[in-house]
Amino acid sequence: MAKIKSTLDIQLDLTRPVEDLTEIISAVIASQPHKRKEILEGLDIAVGNALAEIQAQEEKEQKVDDDSSGKVS
């Protein structure tokens, strides 16, 4: 029985993650042009959520630093 898969075998260079991730996204979009908007919107949501988590953690750490330094907020 034949098995047909649409897969992308990826090797990501962790010393240049932005460049490699950009190439990967471009390759996926090129293979699914009719889903380009859906793919990019999904990525936008995922990236936005990740950035919001980082921002919340940074704000929490800043508050702890401010509180421990004796500053009144």
Side-chain angles (χ1 to χ4, degrees):
M1 172 183 239
K3 291 185 181 182
I4 302 170
K5 295 182 181 180
S6 294
T7 60
L8 185 61
D9 188 20
I10 299 169
Q11 290 188 357
L12 178 78
D13 182 350
L14 293 176
T15 65
R16 40 172 277 150
V18 173
E19 296 87 350
D20 281 6
L21 286 169
T22 301
E23 289 179 27
I24 292 164
I25 292 165
S26 295
V28 171
I29 290 171
S31 73
Q32 302 284 321
H34 59 288
K35 291 185 176 181
R36 179 180 177 192
K37 184 176 179 182
E38 177 185 345
I39 292 166
L40 292 174
E41 287 174 340
L43 285 169
D44 184 46
I45 291 168
V47 169
N49 289 341
L51 287 171
E53 287 179 27
I54 291 168
Q55 181 69 31
Q57 183 63 34
E58 288 174 346
E59 289 173 2
K60 181 179 177 182
E61 290 170 2
Q62 182 63 44
K63 182 170 178 13
V64 168
D65 289 346
D66 291 348
D67 289 348
S68 66
S69 68
K71 293 181 182 175
V72 178
S73 22

